[in-house]
Amino acid sequence: MHISANFDAGNIEVISLENKQDIQLKIRPDFGDQFFQWFNFRLSGEVGEQYVLNIVNAGEASYVEGWHDYQAVASYDRDYWFRLPTTYKDGKLSIEVELECNIIQIAYFAPYSYERHQDLLAAVQPHPLVSLEHLGQTLDKRDLTLVKVSDEKGSLNTTKLNIWIIARQHPGETMAEWLIEGLLYSLLDADNATSRQLLQKANFYIVPNMNPDGSVRGHLRTNAVGTNLNREWQNPSLEKSPEVFYVMKKMNETGVDLFYDVHGDEALPYVFLAGSQGTPSYSERLAKLRDKFSEVLQLASADFQTEFGYEIDAPGQANMTVATNAVAERFDCLANTLEMPFKDNANLPNKDTGWSPERSIKFGEVSLVAMLAVVDELR
């Protein structure tokens, strides 16, 4: 029996392997020790044997409520991810597995590897509507890459609207980049009438992974120096948050007419939006746009709902360090944070897979429908 996390986005520390019915493990915190919840490791053992893996520091995790009704994900081929029997009790997360092959990968959610990120960029680059732009380097010297999709490749068309989409400010929220994959391929599909009409009206600026350093390091929420990027939008710096600094610099060049920031929520088992209602300049125009965007999303996907979500900020009380609020205020634009679950989607459960890469991909596709519904009213 062997457990390894020495790979891209791997995260686990082995305490004891002496008893296969009580394998003791510990999640390694993000740099700075403030956050942890993401785990990702491989178990090697005997086919047919049963193992119980106990994550003993789960009770100290960033979002303990996230363990309630949570089931870990696993895969033998790193393509199909299914749920394992998982229980949380007395500060310990216990995962049960009976091996069908010698090696199984177990994670908090289906990983989206840095290699797959590079594959996505390479796959879309040859498309005639796509140009890739190097925005800058992260603190670990990785590339921060922007995907521009426009019928005027490589140029700035000032007559069109500009739609900005970002994902994985919090690197452990891998469902966000799965969504981007679905959205990008749908946007580039010449047989997709929704996409073709959108591209007649708007340029798309998409950052599939805002936090490649945290992604590779196996962090839940922060970059290489322990910075939560989604608290840096009021005053980003090259020392702490170059990722936000470079994206904001580019946004100032292009302007923003619609902003979509894609995330995952550890605790709430729903797909929902969080808007900019608490910003100082929130207006009736933006409220109507947000209502229409939300209504169309609900029609386009049964996975989306509006009953459950975050408490709405009181007028003028928004946290202006958060991306959605900062961008909405700076550009007077429709801005939303999309949240997807780590757990199953309670209003449309699937006991085998829960919320999954496939459902994230599909939601990326239908997000374009909501964008088309409001594009003519953005300005």
Side-chain angles (χ1 to χ4, degrees), residues 165 175-176 178-184 186-187 260 262 297 338 340 355 357-369 371:
I165 305 168
M175 61 284 290
W178 286 110
L179 180 146
I180 293 295
E181 181 176 305
L183 185 148
L184 256 177
S186 184
L187 188 61
Y260 201 48
V262 188
L297 265 186
L338 176 76
M340 294 173 285
W355 189 255
E358 292 78 14
R359 292 171 83 172
S360 304
I361 285 169
K362 292 294 185 185
F363 204 85
E365 296 169 358
V366 303
S367 295
L368 295 174
V369 178
M371 293 177 190

Side-chain angles (χ1 to χ4, degrees), residues 124 126-131 148-154 187-188 199:
V124 301
H127 194 285
L129 300 185
V130 170
S131 57
K148 180 183 177 183
V149 184
S150 172
D151 61 7
E152 294 192 5
K153 184 176 178 180
L187 188 61
L188 298 175
L199 287 167

Side-chain angles (χ1 to χ4, degrees), residues 280-297:
S281 299
Y282 193 71
S283 62
E284 184 178 350
R285 177 182 73 88
L286 293 179
K288 288 180 178 178
L289 283 170
R290 186 186 183 282
D291 287 346
K292 186 171 184 178
F293 190 86
S294 180
E295 288 168 7
V296 174
L297 265 186

